[in-house]
Amino acid sequence: MSVFDAAAVTERALDAEAAAAKATFVLCLGFPKCGTTALFEALEKLPNMTALRHPATGTHEIADRLFDADLDPARSYAAKTPTWILDEAKMRRLAARLAAWRVVPVVCVRDPAAQLASYRAHRARVEGETHASMRAFCAARDVAAPGLPYAACATYAPHLRAALRVFGAAAVRALHSDALRDDAGRVGAFLALEGLRLPPRAPSPPVPSDAFSPGERAHWRSAWAATLSLLRDAGVAVLEPEGGVLCDAAEPPTALLPGLCS
């Protein structure tokens, strides 16, 4: 080992020691309808964690108010806004704002077809929205909420690449939504958070067989495959559900990332 190699090893060891000494900031980055709320509510119950809510409304999403919050660098925090991941400039601001903490960026994901079907069902329950097709639903939501284009939200890979550029693959944790229905100890161990407890959650309903045209289903399967390839190739730590992931009704559950599963 050259003197330069030895110096690099020493520097990495010092960096790791400094990071371990910092308080933790769990940053629930996204994606929408992928379990960030369930995770945040579990984090909120940890006795040594301060969960940040929007100061005016009390809702889960603190959004840009995080930049103005009065935070103690000796305390551990959790914050959630699943649309942060759609904006690389916002993520860079977050990384700079939280430099005093050991930041754990958590990205919740699920099959994009299931994500979109869940959002469509949610809007139907909340606002009584009805649309003839998933394509019509996405188009209507893009007009109603231009800052939250759901078809773009479900195309994870470009946003994940941005998160990896900002935070680094070693820091990011990818959590499959269905893993939040398993034993909470797995999620706590995965995030190195002792005592994490998750409330019981009903099984995720299957995606209706007529929710997507064959072309749309193929498109979202390709988007999901691209996401999995990106996570695998970047070496991101991933927690899948214990039973594996059911990608299609015609296929058995399978571990999609066996080399990365915890």
Side-chain angles (χ1 to χ4, degrees):
M1 178 184 293
S2 72
V3 65
F4 298 106
D5 292 335
V9 170
T10 301
E11 183 177 356
R12 286 196 297 271
L14 290 172
D15 288 345
E17 184 178 344
K22 292 181 177 181
T24 299
F25 201 115
V26 182
L27 199 60
C28 302
L29 284 172
F31 288 89
K33 302 306 294 179
C34 291
T36 52
T37 297
L39 176 60
F40 178 82
E41 290 177 345
L43 293 168
E44 193 169 33
K45 295 176 182 176
L46 289 174
N48 59 343
M49 182 78 66
T50 299
L52 302 176
R53 289 176 174 266
H54 194 289
T57 64
T59 58
H60 302 91
E61 280 81 23
I62 190 171
D64 291 355
R65 296 295 185 95
L66 176 58
F67 299 113
D68 303 319
D70 184 16
L71 303 176
D72 179 356
R75 294 179 64 99
S76 291
Y77 293 93
K80 163 191 180 287
T81 295
T83 55
W84 273 328
I85 200 166
L86 305 181
D87 187 336
E88 183 170 354
K90 187 70 61 63
M91 287 191 285
R92 292 195 180 280
R93 284 187 66 200
L94 287 168
R97 172 70 177 88
L98 304 177
W101 285 266
R102 182 181 70 87
V103 179
V104 182
V106 182
V107 182
C108 294
V109 297
R110 69 194 291 193
D111 182 334
Q115 183 211 30
L116 288 169
S118 174
Y119 187 59
R120 185 182 183 186
H122 173 73
R123 300 314 307 179
R125 287 193 306 271
V126 172
E127 296 183 2
E129 291 184 2
T130 57
H131 300 280
S133 67
M134 188 65 72
R135 184 187 299 274
F137 167 74
C138 288
R141 290 308 305 169
D142 290 353
V143 171
L148 191 63
Y150 256 74
C153 288
T155 309
Y156 305 137
H159 310 303
L160 276 169
R161 287 193 190 95
L164 298 181
R165 285 194 294 269
V166 173
F167 296 104
V172 172
R173 297 290 179 266
L175 178 63
H176 192 286
S177 173
D178 286 347
L180 294 169
R181 295 178 171 85
D182 295 337
D183 174 23
R186 295 180 69 236
V187 182
F190 178 66
L191 298 177
L193 295 171
E194 187 176 349
L196 188 70
R197 296 289 180 266
L198 294 162
R201 298 180 70 207
S204 181
V207 178
S209 59
D210 61 348
F212 299 93
S213 70
E216 288 171 330
R217 182 170 286 278
H219 170 79
W220 293 118
R221 289 296 301 281
S222 295
W224 189 217
T227 298
L228 298 170
S229 294
L230 172 61
L231 294 171
R232 180 180 56 247
D233 294 346
V236 174
V238 178
L239 185 69
E240 291 188 350
E242 290 178 316
V245 177
L246 183 61
C247 250
D248 193 288
E251 297 178 357
T254 181
L256 297 174
L257 298 171
L260 300 176
C261 292
S262 298

